[in-house]
Amino acid sequence: MSMPITASTSTDVARENAVFRKVVRRIVPFLVLCYVVSYLDRVNVGFAKLQMSDDLGFSEAAYGLGAGLFFIGYFLFEVPSNLMLQRVGARTWIARIMISWGLVSGAFMFVHNEAMFYVLRFLLGAAEAGFYPGVILYCTYWFPSHRRARVIALFMSAIPVAGIFGNPLSGWIMDRFQGVNGWQGWQWMFLLEAIPALLIGVATLFYLDNSVRAAKWLTDEEKAVVERAIAEDAAHQTVHGRVWDAFREPKVWLMCLIYFCFVMGQYALTFWMPTFIESTGIEGNLAIGMLSAVPFLAALVTMNLFGRSADKRRERRWHLVVPSLMGAVGFSLAAGWAGSTALSLAALSFAAAGVLTCAPLFWSLPTAFLGGTAAAVGLAAINSVGNLAGFVSPYMIGALKDATGSTSLPRYVLALSLVIGAAAVLTTDKYVVNR
């Protein structure tokens, strides 16, 4: 086997770049596909609401509670799931996650009351727990920190991609299949959109590799290049070791706060975007779906531009602060322009571009100082605590909408959350995170 290569010359640097481009081409598109399916199954309830709430007599608060209960199951099972991924390997565990969430997602077609809705949302969160932080952990096996922001931004492009294609698809299914076989359009949507998770879950067993050393598509020399880069990066990590080490680290709890603030905005968009668009006077599921895709298209472009810039400049903090403040401005303007479809859509696009850019850049912060078992636990803990905002955000919006008859006040609350997140980012140590 070839000796490790030291990237000390321009030729070695070019060689290393070529190897990592090969790794990106092999791994990232498949992970993006998995996350598109994951995100669609997680948030298509936002589209189902347009019909399901009337059919089943759900209040706005009941819908918000059910949407948010996903994150309670997610919170409870996140850390154990990530530890299992580390123990049995990414290939087997990610496949298990996808197959189980596909089965639960399809079962939503049988919902007939609030209690069943709540139970299935909780079970969907439990089934999907570990997927997102598991992929972030998996990326640390393949990419050093200075290459990770762009990779995670590419991976998280799945969120706007799911919105761009998933929203029109969901609207079309609900209109096209309404009444077929005696079922409602929302029932068909849950059934048809669950099938890809099952198929891709099986494909995962044959496609993913658990480690660099197990990758038959890399030569021994290429494996050495990747392993050297990962080893050099690990030397800078400050938190390793046992399970509880991550929970005793103050920086982990700061990361939880920052991520919570960002997720508040993220799930407000994904669960309530169709309702925000409908409230401007738009009718028809397909029309709502097409317009709902516009903010996600803006986010897709912005998040990848910021990801490239952050890696190129090796700067994380201001690349997070700027988009979080963009999100705050966007939500504030959307609250004031709620009566105009064009202006509201422009404001929501600005908000989406900011909010959805925050998440991929955020993960460069904790992965810069977490390593070993502490990384598996710490990343899962940050994701699970942060994603409790996925419970708070939709329920808060639903409750305030029931109380005020408007979505303006909730959008100001979301703007405030993003400002707090930006302020918390500025308290981080720039010498640790800007590597």
Side-chain angles (χ1 to χ4, degrees), residues 12 88 91 126 153 203 328 407:
D12 292 336
V88 306
R91 178 175 59 197
T407 58

Side-chain angles (χ1 to χ4, degrees), residues 85-376:
L85 182 145
Q86 189 183 43
R87 175 172 297 184
V88 306
R91 178 175 59 197
T92 300
W93 199 245
I94 290 176
R96 191 285 304 165
I97 290 172
M98 295 193 69
I99 293 169
S100 60
W101 98 50
L103 293 172
V104 175
S105 184
F108 273 83
M109 68 178 294
F110 300 112
V111 167
H112 60 271
N113 57 38
E114 289 182 10
M116 189 173 182
F117 180 52
Y118 296 157
V119 169
L120 284 177
R121 286 296 295 177
F122 176 87
L123 291 177
L124 185 64
E128 195 178 320
F131 174 77
Y132 179 83
V135 170
I136 301 299
L137 179 64
Y138 187 63
C139 287
T140 67
Y141 300 163
W142 296 89
F143 302 100
S145 60
H146 66 275
R147 296 181 183 272
R148 216 171 285 149
R150 182 185 174 191
V151 168
I152 296 175
L154 287 171
F155 168 64
M156 294 197 66
S157 295
I159 296 178
V161 167
I164 292 166
F165 295 103
N167 283 344
L169 175 64
S170 296
W172 177 80
I173 290 174
M174 287 170 61
D175 283 344
R176 173 65 180 81
F177 287 86
Q178 175 66 24
V180 174
N181 200 42
W183 296 344
Q184 300 298 315
W186 60 269
Q187 292 177 296
W188 277 107
M189 185 198 67
F190 281 126
L191 175 63
L192 295 178
E193 292 183 356
I195 294 172
L198 301 174
L199 297 178
I200 298 172
V202 173
T204 300
L205 292 170
F206 300 95
Y207 190 83
L208 285 187
D209 296 291
N210 286 328
S211 66
V212 175
R213 188 52 41 190
K216 296 180 180 179
W217 44 274
L218 288 175
T219 66
D220 286 342
E221 182 182 42
E222 290 169 337
K223 292 176 184 178
V225 169
V226 176
E227 289 172 338
R228 176 195 57 77
I230 299 300
E232 289 179 356
D233 193 58
H236 297 282
Q237 294 167 337
T238 58
V239 183
H240 296 265
R242 297 168 298 176
V243 168
W244 292 106
D245 289 346
F247 292 103
R248 289 196 291 264
E249 174 55 51
K251 289 194 290 289
V252 169
W253 294 105
L254 176 61
M255 296 297 110
C256 289
L257 170 64
I258 295 170
Y259 197 51
F260 184 95
C261 292
F262 294 162
V263 171
M264 281 286 289
Q266 177 180 326
Y267 284 109
L269 289 170
T270 51
F271 283 127
W272 286 90
M273 183 71 79
T275 300
F276 289 160
I277 299 299
E278 185 184 44
S279 68
T280 67
I282 300 298
E283 298 179 356
N285 293 319
L286 182 57
I288 293 171
M290 296 295 289
L291 290 176
S292 296
V294 174
F296 293 104
L297 182 61
L300 179 63
V301 175
T302 305
M303 68 196 304
N304 283 286
L305 289 176
F306 270 78
R308 285 175 178 268
S309 176
D311 276 351
K312 181 179 179 180
R313 292 169 174 78
R314 297 202 180 191
E315 198 288 324
R316 312 295 176 198
R317 299 197 309 165
W318 285 104
H319 280 81
L320 261 174
V321 169
V322 171
S324 63
L325 295 180
M326 286 172 57
V329 171
F331 276 124
S332 298
L333 292 176
W337 294 342
S340 167
T341 299
L343 292 177
S344 182
L345 189 61
L348 288 171
S349 296
F350 198 67
V355 169
L356 296 183
T357 295
C358 289
L361 293 172
F362 165 80
W363 288 106
S364 296
L365 272 60
T367 55
F369 64 85
L370 288 170
T373 300

Side-chain angles (χ1 to χ4, degrees), residues 261-262 324-325 327-329 332 413-425:
C261 292
F262 294 162
S324 63
L325 295 180
V329 171
S332 298
V413 175
L414 296 170
L416 176 61
S417 173
L418 291 166
V419 171
I420 293 172
V425 169

